[in-house]
Amino acid sequence: MRLVIARCQVDYVGRLTAHLPMANRLLLIKADGSVSIHSDDRAFKPLNWMSPPCWLIEDPGMWIVQNKAGEKLIITLEEVMHDSKHELGREPGLVKDGVEADLQKLLAEHVHTLGEGWSLVRREFPTPIGPVDLMCRDRTGASVAVEIKRRGDIDGVEQLTRYLELLNRDPLLAPVRGIFAAQQIKPQARTLAEDRGIRCVVLDYDELRGIESGHLRLF
């Protein structure tokens, strides 16, 4: 990656025209060939940019960035204050905290938060169309299937509904009730779930990790 801080003006020529008057800016040239122009007050969004495939022609006092469609960024440089290159290496990707697998593991470890005397039968309990996240038994021994999402929407309710239909065909499990658990549940999803007799549970990830004391909020 190349970082250039320069006093410059930028003109875009293409399907329309755009002009950035002379000012101090950051020019970012990435290994994929993209060029973007940034100011100090627009958060992450560039003022203008050219996406790859494109190429950069550098002449004294002027850069021209052009793509296959003939669009151009013409960067007129009055003063270059910084010019450096940095090898960032391979990007390992974003690792999110609190993804569905984490929520499933935590709720399996603390299944008693769903009700006193509850027990876990199995994580990833199989059905003919895929596994339901948790199969539990309540204090009476009745089967309860739990589907877990980060954000609960109508598709998640429909998914759990299909699981319940298949699980209730097994005489060793039936009757099987359902719980739809998520960090956020959309109002339409909650309405649909409750109409189908499915209980909704809003999960607090920090509470499940034991960072804060408290209980799950049940709705």
Side-chain angles (χ1 to χ4, degrees):
M1 179 179 290
R2 183 179 176 189
L3 305 175
V4 177
I5 298 174
R7 182 167 177 80
C8 63
Q9 74 175 30
V10 183
D11 293 280
Y12 167 78
V13 180
R15 291 166 295 178
L16 48 81
T17 59
H19 174 71
L20 292 171
M22 194 68 69
N24 295 334
R25 298 189 176 92
L26 168 66
L27 310 178
L28 185 64
I29 304 96
K30 297 177 67 176
D32 63 5
S34 63
V35 177
S36 56
I37 297 96
H38 299 261
S39 67
D40 205 20
D41 64 348
R42 301 295 178 90
F44 64 90
K45 187 174 181 180
L47 297 166
N48 214 326
W49 68 93
M50 188 73 75
S51 300
C54 62
W55 58 93
L56 170 63
I57 301 172
E58 295 186 52
D59 290 319
M62 181 176 291
W63 290 4
I64 298 177
V65 188
Q66 184 171 341
N67 63 17
K68 291 182 177 179
E71 298 171 302
K72 294 181 180 180
L73 282 179
I74 302 172
I75 305 170
T76 303
L77 303 167
E78 183 178 274
E79 180 185 2
V80 175
M81 293 165 274
H82 176 86
D83 189 344
S84 64
K85 293 182 179 180
H86 307 270
E87 180 60 52
L88 301 185
R90 181 178 177 274
E91 171 55 51
L94 178 66
V95 179
K96 294 183 178 179
D97 191 19
V99 297
E100 289 173 15
D102 297 322
L103 290 169
Q104 182 192 118
K105 180 176 183 292
L106 286 167
L107 192 55
E109 292 172 353
H110 304 286
V111 70
H112 61 275
T113 56
L114 296 174
E116 185 180 349
W118 282 49
S119 61
L120 176 68
V121 176
R122 179 176 169 176
R123 292 175 58 186
E124 300 288 339
F125 192 90
T127 80
I129 58 172
V132 67
D133 289 324
L134 302 181
M135 179 61 72
C136 305
R137 293 196 183 277
D138 66 16
R139 63 186 303 175
T140 69
S143 300
V144 185
V146 183
E147 185 63 22
I148 301 168
K149 303 291 183 185
R150 291 188 68 238
R151 294 179 178 86
D153 55 23
I154 286 177
D155 288 345
V157 177
E158 294 286 5
Q159 181 183 3
L160 178 55
T161 300
R162 293 191 292 270
Y163 288 152
L164 290 171
E165 180 182 353
L166 292 168
L167 290 168
N168 274 298
R169 295 178 187 176
D170 186 340
L172 298 178
L173 294 173
V176 183
R177 305 194 318 274
I179 288 181
F180 187 56
Q183 289 180 286
Q184 300 174 11
I185 299 178
K186 294 183 178 180
Q188 302 93 328
R190 181 179 290 114
T191 298
L192 180 63
E194 291 174 349
D195 183 68
R196 295 180 176 179
I198 295 171
R199 176 182 163 200
C200 290
V201 174
V202 176
L203 300 174
D204 188 310
Y205 183 66
D206 286 342
E207 289 181 2
L208 285 173
R209 288 202 308 175
I211 292 175
E212 298 175 355
S213 61
H215 301 281
L216 294 175
R217 297 184 294 277
L218 307 184
F219 298 89

